[in-house]
Amino acid sequence: MASTPQPVGRFRTLPDYPLAAIPQKKRELAARGVDVIDLGAGDSDLAAPVGVVEALTKAAATPALNRYGFGLGLVAFREAIAAWMLKRFALRIDPLQEIVPLIGSKEGISHLALAYLEPGRLAIIPEPGYNAYQGGALLASGEPYRYALRPRTNFLIDLDEVPDETLRRTGILYLNYPNNPTAAIAPRDYLARVVERCRELGILLVYDNAYSELAFDGYVPPSIFEFEGARDVAIEFHSLSKTYNMTGWRCGWAVAAPHIASVLTKVKTFVDTGQFMAVQAAGVAALESYDAFIPGNIAAFKARRDAAVSAFRTAGFACDTPKATMYLWIPLPGEIPSALFAERLLDDEGVVVMPGSAFGAGGEGFFRISFVTSPARIAEAAQRAGRVLASMGAEVG
Ligand SMILES: Cc1ncc(COP(=O)(O)O)c(C=O)c1O
């Protein structure tokens, strides 16, 4: 009799991925004729820049760009990234030594842990937070130390609250501001302090800047490298996904000083053979279209944000106006469990939202919506959510 191969304990520590069950459920509802509004994943319905699509088409028909990219990839993409980092953050980055092209930033974030964690080494992980942090840490056999992001600390990780013994064993601190899912932003003096602490403690600061270009009302998110000493300890992740409505294209990059960038490059040498170079050519077009494309795109997201804040408030929810990201992180009144609320909202009203608990226990008491459809549809979703809130409020009360 055959015996079944069993995954090891490390695999069994992985929680279920929160979005995994949604597509099937959506199909079932749509088949029943329900008008589903999906505000779950941070995956906008807006179009990528036209010039980017043209650049991809042309590059895909170029035989030299159909070959392996390897770690180096398309030098023009590295140069376009360096030019953009200079323009946007006034930072001088060596295109060959200090940039790692990535197949989406998630890929790099999770693979990096393989080099900086092992059994007994901790990763400080914001909870709620993007799933690649704990996924990468667990797959690397590291030990997650979950820090609950709550209004109490303005959704910031206060390292003074982490025990010294924990800090001594910490290999990685994951930070993400502007933040998914809470939409919080980090004050500059906070970031300067965190860099200083990471330098004292020898902790790798993984700064996830996926939302650096989705900001409103004059707020300009910084790069972590604007803070003194960051080059010693930090690696920063960027992505075309949210900035240019290019989630499916899988195109991002990391920036770090050579002693850190080379580590990620080496890990990737053994797990992939480089990003499709035609996508990197399209990435060049995206970065070069920054000035022409971004203002209109931000205006579209701002209209969605404003519609969302106004409609959810009218529907009975308390929510702040976020200065950045494509999310609202909405507190649930009373003791309504977020998973139950999200389930009822989907089953009774056909609206997909992310329950806070899907991001871990630290997210309980909230739910997240994404600005991934039109202002009118977001407003319709808010009305439906208001009906569920009223009925559950009545039940709970
Ligand atoms: C905080 C954060 N970081 C990284 C990513 C991953 O982006 P990419 O599409 O570049 O893998 C996301 C995507 O939702 C995100 O929310």
Side-chain angles (χ1 to χ4, degrees), residues 17 41-43 103-107 109 129-130 132-133 176 178-181 208-211 237-242 246-248 250-253 327 368:
Y17 201 76
D43 194 4
I103 309 169
S105 64
K106 180 182 195 177
E107 175 264 299
I109 292 168
Y130 185 53
Y133 314 144
N176 163 228
N179 183 257
N180 170 18
D208 180 355
N209 220 343
Y211 297 93
F237 286 87
H238 287 271
S239 172
L240 298 184
S241 290
K242 319 290 171 165
M246 289 173 65
T247 47
R250 315 310 304 129
C251 193
W253 65 88
Y327 306 113
R368 188 194 78 179

Side-chain angles (χ1 to χ4, degrees), residues 193-249:
R193 240 183 5 259
V194 168
V195 168
E196 202 179 296
R197 285 296 278 149
C198 286
R199 292 180 77 220
E200 283 162 14
L201 294 156
I203 292 174
L204 180 73
L205 174 54
V206 172
Y207 196 72
D208 180 355
N209 220 343
Y211 297 93
S212 66
E213 307 315 304
L214 267 189
F216 314 108
D217 310 330
Y219 174 62
V220 183
S223 162
I224 200 67
F225 295 113
E226 292 175 32
F227 301 95
E228 204 185 320
R231 284 172 55 83
D232 295 341
V233 288
I235 180 165
E236 178 164 282
F237 286 87
H238 287 271
S239 172
L240 298 184
S241 290
K242 319 290 171 165
T243 309
Y244 295 97
N245 311 320
M246 289 173 65
T247 47
W249 294 58

Side-chain angles (χ1 to χ4, degrees), residues 149-150 153-156 176-187 207 211 219 221 322-325 327 329:
L149 298 187
R150 306 293 299 179
T153 62
N154 295 322
F155 302 106
L156 300 170
N176 163 228
Y177 297 101
N179 183 257
N180 170 18
T182 68
I185 58 176
Y207 196 72
Y211 297 93
Y219 174 62
K323 281 201 160 17
T325 76
Y327 306 113
W329 185 239

